[in-house]
Amino acid sequence: MALKAETHPIATSNDVVRVRQIVRAATIQLKFSLVEQTKFVTATSELARNTLEHGGGGWMTLEMVKNGLREGIKLTFRDNGPGIADIELALSEGYTSAGGMGLGLSGSKRLVNEFEITSELGQGTTVIVTRWK
Amino acid sequence: MSVFHQVVKANESAILVGWLKQMSASTRRGDLINDVDLKEQASEFLKLFTEACQKSSDVQSEAFASTQEFLAEIAKSRLEQGFSTSETAMFVLSLKQPIFSAIRDAFKANPSELVSEIWASGDLLDQLAMLTIDSAITIRELTISRQQEEMLELSTPVVKLWDGILALPLIGTLDSARTQVVMESLLSAIVETNSQIAIIDITGVPTVDTLVAQHLIKTITAARLMGADCYLSGIRPAIAQTIVHLGIELIDVQTKAKLSDAFALALQRLGKAVVTTKPSATSPAQGRNRVA
Amino acid sequence: MDRIPILKFGDCLLITIQVDMHDQLALTLQEDLTAQIAKHASRGVLIDISSLEIVDSFIGRMLANIAAMSRILDAQTVLTGMQPAVAITLVELGMSLPGIKTALNVERGMDLLQEFIYREPESEDLHGSEG
C-alpha cells in the first residue's frame, strides 16, 4: 500500500547529493535507526550515481509504503540509457563498466531488503529497492 | 447499493437495546467494563456505522475511516482491560443478531431483498470484526517486538576492562538480529569510551556457524575502519575445529584461546604491564598497573 | 563552497571533511591534496571524517586513491573518526579499505602519524626497541 509518492530528477552530480538528502529526511520521518538510515542513504547514493553515469540521467521516485505492521520506503530509479546486456553479470561482485570497484549494484543490493532490476537494451534500466523499518 | 442502514437508523434505539442484551448474554465481562461505558461505546459505534453505510459499502473506503479508527481504539482499550481477542471481536459480531431481526421485520414481504440485505450487512460486520481482530493482533505484535528489543539490549553488555580496553562477553546462540545489535552496541561503546582495543569473548557461545562467523568478521572489520582493534577470545577446541571444517578464514583476526590471554595482549599493545608486588595486608589486590 | 581546505601542520597535512560531498568536490580534493604533498614534501596526511554521515563506494574509492597516491609520494595517510553506522555500512557494501590506517580521533591519528614518521628508519626491525 503506497501512502505517498514523489519524483525527483537525477541530471547532475548535485542531484545525487539532493536525492540522498531527500531519502535521509524520509528515513528520519519513519524513525529508522541510525544504521538503517545510513545503509539506505548509501544505497540511494550508489543507485543515483548509476542512473547518472550509466543511464545518462533519469528520475528517482520515492514512495512511503506500508505492509501490514511494517512501514518502509520504496525507491524507483529509472533511466532511458543504453540498458544492461547481462544483468546477472552486472550484479556479480567486482563487475565494473566505468572503472570503479564494481560495488554499485551488488553492494547496494546488500543494503536494502528488496531489490529488483529490469533492463532492456536501448530502452533503459529500472531499479526498485525497498527497505522496511 | 443496499439500504439496510435506513432500517438500522429507523430502529436505532431498539437495536441498541438488543445489542447490549446480546453482549451481556455472550461475552460482556461485568468484571472488566461497566454498563455505562459499554452503552456509550455501543451507541457511538452504531452512529458511526450507519453514517458510513450511507456513503459506501466498502470497508476499506474513506467513508469507513472513522469507524475503523474507533474499532482500533476499542481493540486497544479492551486489550488493556484484559479482554481476549475473541471477546473483543464479539463486540462487533454480537451486533449481527439485533440488526438481522430489524431487517427481517422490515423486509418481511420481500424474501429476496431480505436475503440480500442480510447478506450485505452480515458481510460488512464480519469484515469490521476481522479489522478489530487485526488491530488487536497488531497491538500485541508491537508489544512483543518492543520486548524483544529490550531483551536484545539486556543480553549484550559491553564492559570496560581497562582504560582503552573493552570486552564483550557473548553468551547464548547468536542469530542475525542479535549479532546486529551486538555489533552496533560494541561499536558505539568504542566511540563513547574512546577505546583502542575491544575483546569479543565467545566462551558462552555454543556453536559458531558460517553466518555467525561472517557477522563477527564484519564487526571486527568495522571496528578497524573506526580505528580500533578487535580480538576474538574464548575459542573452545571444538569451535576451532568447526571453524576450520567450515572453511571460514579468520585471517587478519587476532584470536586467543582465553579472555585472560587476550587481555594480556591488549595491555602489552597499550604499553602497560601487570607486575607482582608484595601482598598488601588490607587489600587483596596482587597486581598494579604501571606504565611501561 | 567548492573546495575542501587543506591545513599544513608541521610535516603533516590536515583535512576535515564536513560537507555532503558531490563527486566533483571529491575529485578536486584528490588533486589539491597530491599537489600540496609534493609542494611541502609532507610525510603524513590526516583525513578526519567524523562529521561525514555517509561514505559510499565513490567516496571510499577516493579515500583509497588518496592513500595510494600519498604512499607513492612518500606520505602516510591516516583516516580518523569514522562513525559506527558508516563503518557498518561500508563493510556491508564490501569495502574494507585494507590499505588505509585508521584511528579513533584526530589526537590518536596525529600520534600514529608521528610514530610512523619518526620511527620509519627502524620500522622494518620489529624487535628494535628493548622493553
Side-chain angles (χ1 to χ4, degrees):
Chain A
M1 192 164 80
L3 304 171
K4 183 182 123 187
E6 49 187 47
T7 298
H8 306 275
I10 301 171
T12 66
S13 107
N14 274 330
D15 288 338
V16 176
V17 177
R18 205 166 48 86
V19 295
R20 279 207 296 252
Q21 286 160 354
I22 289 164
V23 172
R24 168 80 68 177
T27 58
I28 291 172
Q29 196 189 329
L30 284 194
K31 298 196 175 72
F32 275 36
S33 77
L34 187 59
V35 174
E36 288 171 329
Q37 285 178 29
T38 311
K39 282 186 178 173
F40 201 52
V41 174
T42 307
T44 306
S45 186
E46 300 293 337
L47 295 171
R49 185 173 297 106
N50 267 350
T51 302
L52 182 66
E53 283 179 6
H54 306 305
W59 302 266
M60 180 195 83
T61 304
L62 181 144
E63 286 169 83
M64 301 290 210
V65 287
K66 201 169 181 174
N67 180 5
L69 246 189
R70 298 196 302 173
E71 285 182 312
I73 302 174
K74 179 175 164 188
L75 302 176
T76 307
F77 293 87
R78 245 171 339 114
D79 67 58
N80 299 326
I84 301 169
D86 187 342
I87 288 181
E88 227 155 273
L89 179 67
L91 274 173
S92 64
E93 195 77 14
Y95 173 79
T96 171
S97 59
M101 288 173 99
L103 295 166
L105 279 181
S106 60
S108 49
K109 191 177 175 185
R110 283 193 297 269
L111 296 176
V112 298
N113 296 126
E114 285 164 31
F115 184 98
E116 202 187 308
I117 179 166
T118 48
S119 185
E120 214 167 304
L121 276 181
Q123 301 290 311
T125 305
T126 303
V127 181
I128 303 173
V129 294
T130 310
R131 184 153 185 117
W132 299 102
K133 189 178 182 282
Chain B
M1 200 169 148
S2 55
V3 292
F4 68 84
H5 56 86
Q6 292 167 0
V7 179
V8 175
K9 205 163 173 65
N11 300 287
E12 207 170 318
S13 54
I15 287 175
L16 190 60
V17 171
W19 187 16
L20 288 169
K21 210 165 124 197
Q22 190 70 25
M23 272 196 272
S24 66
S26 57
T27 64
R28 196 185 75 78
R29 298 268 302 264
D31 54 331
L32 297 176
I33 188 164
N34 66 47
D35 283 344
V36 183
D37 284 350
L38 189 65
K39 196 173 173 192
E40 213 169 274
Q41 287 174 354
S43 57
E44 172 72 16
F45 174 77
L46 210 53
K47 198 177 101 233
L48 290 169
F49 177 66
T50 36
E51 267 171 24
C53 287
Q54 280 168 21
K55 295 179 206 144
S56 166
S57 55
D58 177 9
V59 175
Q60 297 298 343
S61 70
E62 192 60 39
F64 276 90
S66 54
T67 316
Q68 283 195 26
E69 239 167 70
F70 181 74
L71 284 176
E73 259 323 294
I74 291 267
K76 190 165 167 248
S77 62
R78 295 281 145 127
L79 272 180
E80 281 162 5
Q81 284 158 343
F83 283 84
S84 75
T85 317
S86 59
E87 280 166 349
T88 306
M90 277 314 280
F91 175 76
V92 178
L93 291 175
S94 56
L95 179 56
K96 269 184 171 183
Q97 204 266 342
I99 286 191
F100 285 179
S101 22
I103 295 174
R104 189 191 56 215
D105 293 344
F107 293 95
K108 248 182 209 149
N110 192 336
S112 78
E113 238 175 274
L114 173 66
V115 169
S116 81
E117 291 299 328
I118 284 189
W119 174 257
S121 61
D123 186 42
L124 264 179
L125 286 169
D126 284 346
Q127 287 191 48
L128 288 172
M130 293 306 280
L131 275 173
T132 317
I133 294 174
D134 274 351
S135 355
I137 291 173
T138 305
I139 294 163
R140 289 243 161 115
E141 278 175 356
L142 280 174
T143 313
I144 293 171
S145 71
R146 203 191 59 234
Q147 285 169 344
Q148 273 175 341
E149 275 170 33
E150 283 166 5
M151 263 171 63
L152 278 174
E153 275 161 27
L154 283 176
S155 64
T156 54
V158 181
V159 291
K160 184 172 166 180
L161 291 184
W162 206 267
D163 209 17
I165 306 173
L166 286 181
L168 178 74
L170 289 177
I171 293 166
T173 313
L174 286 175
D175 59 17
S176 240
R178 192 171 162 218
T179 322
Q180 195 81 26
V181 176
V182 168
M183 190 166 170
E184 289 181 32
S185 53
L186 178 66
L187 297 184
S188 45
I190 287 175
V191 174
E192 277 160 27
T193 59
N194 198 7
S195 298
Q196 281 163 278
I197 296 171
I199 302 168
I200 303 177
D201 185 79
I202 57 168
T203 312
V205 178
T207 52
V208 170
D209 59 15
T210 321
L211 212 63
V212 169
Q214 267 172 6
H215 279 303
L216 289 173
I217 292 170
K218 278 182 189 170
T219 310
I220 293 165
T221 314
R224 199 198 67 80
L225 280 173
M226 290 165 49
D229 279 332
C230 258
Y231 304 162
L232 197 58
S233 74
I235 304 169
R236 285 177 282 117
I239 287 192
Q241 288 178 28
T242 319
I243 287 176
V244 174
H245 284 315
L246 287 172
I248 299 163
E249 297 197 18
L250 288 178
I251 308 169
D252 296 335
V253 179
Q254 176 67 60
T255 50
K256 284 282 175 189
K258 285 193 237 101
L259 176 58
S260 55
D261 299 339
F263 182 48
L265 178 67
L267 284 174
Q268 194 192 330
R269 287 271 170 95
L270 294 184
K272 316 219 180 223
V274 177
V275 294
T276 311
T277 58
K278 267 190 196 149
S280 141
T282 51
S283 155
Q286 297 279 312
R288 252 179 55 203
N289 169 254
R290 167 176 74 99
V291 178
Chain C
M1 182 170 165
D2 51 3
R3 262 196 158 75
I4 291 171
I6 300 172
L7 308 175
K8 186 174 169 299
F9 184 82
D11 42 14
C12 295
L13 295 178
L14 284 176
I15 303 153
T16 308
I17 304 177
Q18 283 174 332
V19 289
D20 195 355
M21 284 194 288
H22 58 79
D23 299 357
Q24 190 51 49
L25 189 61
L27 295 174
T28 311
L29 174 65
Q30 203 168 292
E31 279 170 28
D32 288 355
L33 187 65
T34 43
Q36 294 282 323
I37 295 174
K39 187 178 162 196
H40 301 296
S42 304
R43 301 298 319 281
V45 176
L46 188 141
I47 306 174
D48 183 65
I49 57 164
S50 52
S51 31
L52 264 195
E53 288 178 327
I54 72 156
V55 172
D56 59 10
S57 66
F58 185 83
I59 304 292
R61 194 157 69 232
M62 179 207 73
L63 294 170
N65 284 349
I66 285 180
M69 290 168 188
S70 310
R71 208 173 301 129
I72 296 173
L73 294 165
D74 196 26
Q76 177 68 35
T77 308
V78 172
L79 189 65
T80 67
M82 187 186 288
Q83 294 298 319
V86 173
I88 291 172
T89 305
L90 263 187
V91 171
E92 205 69 51
L93 198 58
M95 291 195 101
S96 52
L97 303 176
I100 301 186
K101 287 201 182 301
T102 52
L104 283 174
N105 49 42
V106 175
E107 205 180 346
R108 286 261 164 78
M110 283 313 276
D111 287 350
L112 200 65
L113 275 183
Q114 297 299 329
E115 207 176 291
F116 172 78
I117 291 168
Y118 296 113
R119 249 204 1 213
E120 198 178 35
E122 48 185 333
S123 66
E124 294 300 308
D125 182 9
L126 290 173
H127 306 286
S129 54
E130 301 288 321

